[in-house]
Amino acid sequence: MKFGKLAIEVVDLLPTPEKVFGVLKLDLKSLLFKVLGPSMIAVGVAIGGGEWLLGPATAVKYGLGMAWIVVVSALLQTVYNVSLVRLIMYTGESPIAYLRRVPPSPKFWTAAIPVMIIVWGSWGLAGIAGSGATALGSMILGRLPADEDAWLVRCLTLVIIALCVLLVLFGRKIERTLEIANWFFMVFVLATLLFVVAPLTVRPEVIVEALRGSFSFGYIPPGADASLIAAWWAYTGLAVGLNFIFMNWYRDKGYGMGSVVGYIPALIGGKRVALLPSGKTFTMSDENVRVFKRWARLLNYDQWLIFFPGAILGMYLPSMIAASLLPRGQELKGWGVAAHVAEGLATIVGKWGYYLIAFIGFVILFSSALGAYVDPVPRNLTDVLWSSERVRKWARGDVRAVYYTLLAAYVALSSWAVFQAQPLILVTIAANIANFIGLLVIPAVMYLSSQLPREIRPKPWEYALLVVFLGLSGYFFAAAILSVK
């Protein structure tokens, strides 16, 4: 049968969650340690450059009257993520693979989107790793790195990138390695910010301002930097329309038909896996529809109970901390966004506060470099190339040969980008590329969702929210472009 513009093989049975995860019954323990998890990687990505760099920069310069952007972006991204993963569960294909099923043609999607991902990823990794290096450099120097310390920050940036590459070498599944790492990173970061830093720093009037701003829909201060505001919208949560590159983890986790198609194993500790070049779907029997709806409930748990609150907390906490510590109207730029916050806390509690914030910033930005860039870029490019029989023959059927070759090339390109501009500029450029990509991919997801069998098709309200998501992404992208002088 055809799904979209391409044929897809149909099988009789959709595997149950119990079979995929090897449990007799789904209880709380199996949910926490076996089933839920891709959203924990996503939260690790979400609490990253946008939250630690763009959030504080925007909150200090303009206040928290625009906090509504965070709420709306997190809400719409969660709806969008569910739409993306529903298609993964139906086809077993990652989003960049199933986009080939959308008009105008497979060639368009396998050429245009990968090029944009490479550009976005190269600037983004250099910016995020560079900002993490700023925090690490601050710990080494005991002060904010100055212009003469640029060489140190750039060297530390390359070290951070190398450590990220080292992590994705190990494990059975790369996806599982990322899950374990991000459980540690996010528990540490959220617990420390919520129970240690926030009580010491956040002022009551800032909390009130954030609450009011959460419902001040449409408010944007006159003369605000449109590019910075657009980046705040784009990097709340994941990366707006670009979120599709982070959903591949659900296929590798084994959600729905992803368990039939396969996954990308790690180089050390993984074994050769027969990853199929295209997906499979299932017949619309009553039993399969019932099982699919169970998968959909697990997806909703993962997205609405982990990703959605994590995306909001991840942007609110650093922004409120920065707005409480630093003079309002100050422009944070260059190398020093993360370290400015560290200096602000040190004035309250002493030098240990400086090192604590610098370390938290390093952990946040390291996890973002790992989960948002080092893995997703080569992962998505691998999924594009794996559809080619010539590539599969070159790799002798081992997808790791493609993934790690692309990883090496991508890291080399990002290392070059490290020397081209300062971190905050690189992150802002990457964020606005993400807004543009969304203008292409959001309508494509809506088209494919409309092609799903009636029994599992999304409700009309979901399409309506995706239209709002598309409109706002277009607005913020256009505003950023028009602001360029």
Side-chain angles (χ1 to χ4, degrees), residues 266-284:
L267 185 64
I268 302 171
K271 62 180 181 180
R272 181 169 171 165
V273 172
L275 178 64
L276 300 181
S278 60
K280 296 182 179 183
T281 191
F282 51 90
T283 57
M284 283 294 114

Side-chain angles (χ1 to χ4, degrees), residues 313-448:
L313 270 178
M315 185 62 85
Y316 270 44
L317 283 173
S319 296
M320 289 193 297
I321 290 167
S324 298
L325 286 173
L326 304 179
R328 191 60 58 91
Q330 179 179 356
E331 186 169 352
L332 302 179
K333 60 183 180 179
W335 298 103
V337 175
H340 270 94
V341 178
E343 290 182 334
L345 181 61
T347 62
I348 297 175
V349 301
K351 198 67 175 177
W352 70 267
Y354 176 91
Y355 288 104
L356 175 64
I357 289 292
F359 182 68
I360 293 171
F362 167 71
V363 172
I364 286 174
L365 295 162
F366 178 84
S367 70
S368 185
L370 173 66
Y373 297 98
V374 169
D375 173 69
V377 172
R379 174 180 295 276
N380 280 271
L381 298 178
T382 297
D383 283 340
V384 170
L385 293 176
W386 198 245
S387 63
S388 166
E389 185 177 356
R390 181 179 299 178
V391 170
R392 296 196 302 275
K393 285 183 177 178
W394 170 82
R396 298 181 180 179
D398 191 342
V399 70
R400 292 176 295 183
V402 180
Y403 176 89
Y404 286 105
T405 299
L406 289 169
L407 176 61
Y410 168 55
V411 165
L413 183 59
S414 297
S415 298
W416 168 82
V418 166
F419 296 90
Q420 305 311 307
Q422 293 185 347
L424 185 58
I425 296 172
L426 294 169
V427 173
T428 305
I429 291 170
N432 285 292
I433 293 173
N435 274 325
F436 174 73
I437 294 176
L439 302 183
L440 300 175
V441 178
I442 296 169
V445 171
M446 294 174 66
Y447 163 77
L448 282 180

